[in-house]
Amino acid sequence: MIPLQKMNGERFLLNHNQIEHIELIPESKIVMMNHDYYIVRDSVEDIIRKIMDYNAKIMDIHREISVEAPRR
């Protein structure tokens, strides 16, 4: 989940896996798969960077906790 900020300053977490598309109106309008939407202060570049950073963290965590079976 990525942190974003609504136009009224309210901060919230968004499940980026449910994003269908982002419209530039000139704000960022995030349209979800269920057709709900959020208008946020974050630029599309910031949103993409946050998604990339989150996915990179998940991949690093997965690598750190991977356990190989002992050889016998």
Side-chain angles (χ1 to χ4, degrees):
M1 298 186 78
I2 59 169
L4 297 172
Q5 189 172 30
K6 294 180 182 178
M7 296 305 290
N8 66 2
E10 180 183 337
R11 294 176 47 99
F12 69 107
L13 295 174
L14 180 77
N15 181 350
H16 69 281
N17 292 316
Q18 296 297 313
I19 295 174
E20 183 175 315
H21 65 274
I22 301 173
E23 298 176 15
L24 305 174
I25 58 172
E27 300 86 2
S28 298
K29 179 180 178 182
I30 302 172
V31 180
M32 308 301 287
M33 288 184 177
N34 66 0
H35 302 291
D36 287 348
Y37 66 89
Y38 301 95
I39 299 176
V40 297
R41 291 184 178 187
D42 305 81
S43 69
V44 71
E45 292 83 8
D46 287 340
I47 295 168
I48 291 169
R49 182 186 46 77
K50 288 178 182 185
I51 292 170
M52 290 171 48
D53 290 348
Y54 180 83
N55 287 336
K57 284 181 188 177
I58 295 301
M59 295 305 290
D60 284 345
I61 289 171
H62 178 70
R63 271 186 236 129
E64 288 179 17
I65 62 173
S66 294
V67 177
E68 293 182 23
R71 295 182 184 179
R72 294 182 184 199

